[in-house]
Amino acid sequence: MVQYQAPTFSVRFRFRLSTPVPLEEETVRIAIAGREIELSRDAEKTPAGSDWFTINAHSFVTEREAQAFARDLKAAMTLAGIRRNLGIDAGDDRASTGLGKKLIDDLADKGIALKPNVHGIEVYLRRGNEQFISFSANATVHMQAKAFSAEIKAAFSEIERVGDRERSALELMALANIASHPLARASLSLAAVELLSSGGGWTDPQKQLLKRLQQEALNDSSLPPAEAALVGDSIGRAFRLSIRQSVKAKMAELGLSEEDWREFDGVYGLRSKVFHGGLPSASAYQDLSRRAVTICTKIVEAATTC
């Protein structure tokens, strides 16, 4: 008598790389966190290189377990990407192709569960009869799959201690590395650092001092209460950190050097010139992009390895 086995949950992660990777076999297996995952290239692509890949992981007992693994996998991919100077479009977890109801029903009658090709993460209950729609992509320049696979494995072992804010910054850097326009690369890189630095600023002792100063102004009997309140309110508003100050404080917290700060500040100044029409040449845009990606990658990497 054949023993019934309850279906388990699977994770499917489809992503695009800025640099196509040659993969001799259509699927390779990588051991990660005690689990074997499958890295596959597009079936239509030759071993010479593909920029679209899919990672599959199976046998999760609960959907929550699968979702947690998927989140860590996605974050580990972006961390591995910035370490290899490789852009990753991890998608928005939506289907990239639509499915007609008649086609779905016809295949269902034949025992096939046709599923959309989600760009990003999909967690589903696996019954073994799933078939995914596929599409092709172009490939030109290559990097080695073996090195990148090792980087994914290393990054996954570290990603558990990386916070949500840092993971979001990694995603922005991954998009910066895959963007085609130099201003887009620069803007996404700087946005990653701004995100990392948001919510930071003054230390607790500094905040307490500012609060005391504000309270002293409010309690000052030499002024009418309304005027004292105005001074107190002004103290609270005047000492809010600017974006630059917040970034500088964050970089100091991460142990980065004064030279690193000066480089970031210089890049931030160049970005401001762009918005005021001060960088008209394509070569200036390329220089801004190169410098922004380099220094911002250093800052985001420092934030994920502290």
Side-chain angles (χ1 to χ4, degrees):
M1 181 177 180
V2 178
Q3 187 175 4
Y4 169 75
Q5 289 186 335
T8 56
F9 289 90
S10 291
V11 171
R12 188 173 191 265
F13 177 32
R14 185 166 176 78
F15 56 94
R16 181 169 64 93
L17 301 179
S18 60
T19 302
V21 176
L23 205 62
E24 290 300 324
E25 299 178 9
E26 191 172 311
T27 300
V28 297
R29 289 170 173 78
I30 309 169
I32 291 181
R35 184 179 296 276
E36 186 177 76
I37 68 169
E38 301 167 352
L39 173 66
S40 306
R41 58 174 166 82
D42 276 356
E44 298 90 344
K45 302 306 293 184
T46 67
S50 175
D51 50 5
W52 280 97
F53 286 87
T54 302
I55 288 179
N56 288 288
H58 305 297
S59 302
F60 295 92
V61 176
T62 66
E63 184 176 10
R64 177 178 292 184
E65 180 190 11
Q67 291 284 5
F69 183 88
R71 285 194 300 271
D72 285 350
L73 177 63
K74 194 172 189 177
M77 284 293 300
T78 56
L79 177 57
I82 70 166
R83 288 178 173 175
R84 304 292 302 184
N85 195 27
L86 183 66
I88 298 176
D89 181 358
D92 56 3
D93 305 338
R94 296 181 183 180
S96 53
T97 51
L99 300 176
K101 185 176 185 303
K102 185 176 186 309
L103 178 60
I104 294 174
D105 291 344
D106 287 347
L107 289 175
D109 291 340
K110 299 176 182 178
I112 298 173
L114 188 63
K115 298 183 69 63
N117 211 15
V118 171
H119 181 190
I121 292 288
E122 180 182 14
V123 172
Y124 62 95
L125 190 63
R126 185 178 187 231
R127 300 183 184 278
N129 63 338
E130 295 82 12
Q131 183 170 312
F132 294 87
I133 288 183
S134 62
F135 59 94
S136 61
N138 295 325
T140 50
V141 184
H142 306 135
M143 70 167 288
Q144 292 302 313
K146 185 176 182 181
F148 188 52
S149 298
E151 198 73 73
I152 296 171
K153 186 173 182 178
F156 196 92
S157 67
E158 303 170 29
I159 206 66
E160 186 178 35
R161 55 179 173 72
V162 176
D164 291 339
R165 190 186 300 272
E166 289 76 15
R167 292 184 182 208
S168 295
L170 283 170
E171 288 189 31
L172 286 171
M173 285 306 308
L175 290 174
N177 281 324
I178 207 168
S180 57
H181 197 284
L183 290 184
R185 290 196 295 271
S187 296
L188 287 165
S189 299
L190 291 167
V193 174
E194 289 174 349
L195 174 63
L196 272 181
S197 306
S198 62
W202 300 114
T203 64
D204 287 339
Q206 289 172 326
K207 290 176 183 176
Q208 291 169 10
L209 175 58
L210 289 171
K211 189 174 182 179
R212 288 199 302 271
L213 292 172
Q214 191 174 22
Q215 195 61 46
E216 286 178 19
L218 291 171
N219 296 335
D220 194 305
S221 58
S222 66
L223 293 173
E227 293 183 17
L230 184 60
V231 173
D233 182 59
S234 296
I235 290 174
R237 285 185 286 106
F239 290 99
R240 289 174 186 158
L241 288 184
S242 67
I243 293 175
R244 267 188 165 103
Q245 289 172 319
S246 295
V247 172
K248 187 174 185 179
K250 184 65 177 180
M251 290 178 69
E253 176 190 324
L254 295 173
L256 296 170
S257 68
E258 183 66 23
E259 182 180 352
D260 290 327
W261 159 247
R262 286 196 296 270
E263 174 61 10
F264 177 86
D265 194 43
V267 168
Y268 208 79
L270 286 177
R271 199 274 295 268
S272 298
K273 285 184 179 180
V274 169
F275 292 116
H276 293 91
L279 282 181
S281 70
S283 62
Y285 292 157
Q286 292 290 351
D287 183 56
L288 169 62
S289 172
R290 177 187 57 78
R291 291 176 62 189
V293 170
T294 300
I295 186 60
C296 293
T297 295
K298 186 173 185 177
I299 295 168
V300 173
E301 268 203 272
T304 57
T305 54
C306 281

